[in-house]
Amino acid sequence: MDEAVEEQLEVPGGEAMRLQGPKNEEKARNIELRCRVQLSIVFEGASEGKANIVLKGPASGIKRAKTMIKALCAFRDEATVEERGICRWYSAGFCRNGGECGDEGCDDGVHDID
C-alpha cells in the first residue's frame, strides 16, 4: 500500500467553487471515494483569483485525483464564453471578480445579458 502524502493543485477560484457547497460537494466526495484521498479547498496563500486544492492520501490516489480535477477544469477551459452562459454573480448586480473581468466576462460566464 502507498505511503500517505500531501500535494496541492492550484486551480482557478471559480473551478474550486464547483467542488464546494451543497450543490457541488458531491463532485468532491466522488473524487475522494474513487481515489481514496481527502480533498480540501484553501483560498489563503493561493495566487490572486486562484485556490489550492489540497489532496492527502496514497500517491497513486493523488495522481488519479489530480487527473480527475484537471479534467473537470478542462471542460470549462475549452468552452467558449457563450457556452458558459451568463455569470451568475454579474446577473445579481456585481461580479465577485471585480475589476479584473474583461468586456467579455469572467471565468464564471459572460457579462452581457443580451
Side-chain angles (χ1 to χ4, degrees), residues 45-72:
S47 304
E48 189 172 331
K50 305 253 182 190
N52 287 320
I53 297 180
V54 180
L55 300 165
K56 297 177 186 176
S60 60
I62 288 177
K63 183 178 178 182
R64 282 194 315 256
K66 284 175 134 179
T67 301
M68 290 177 76
I69 292 166
K70 287 177 183 177
L72 285 171

Side-chain angles (χ1 to χ4, degrees), residues 33-90:
L33 290 173
R34 287 179 169 216
C35 302
R36 297 183 328 249
V37 298
Q38 290 179 324
L39 184 151
S40 58
I41 300 169
V42 181
F43 289 92
E44 297 82 31
S47 304
E48 189 172 331
K50 305 253 182 190
N52 287 320
I53 297 180
V54 180
L55 300 165
K56 297 177 186 176
S60 60
I62 288 177
K63 183 178 178 182
R64 282 194 315 256
K66 284 175 134 179
T67 301
M68 290 177 76
I69 292 166
K70 287 177 183 177
L72 285 171
C73 295
F75 287 123
R76 188 84 172 157
D77 290 343
E78 296 299 320
T80 65
V81 176
E82 292 79 21
E83 289 173 331
R84 294 181 192 162
I86 297 171
C87 170
R88 65 182 177 171
W89 298 96
Y90 180 78

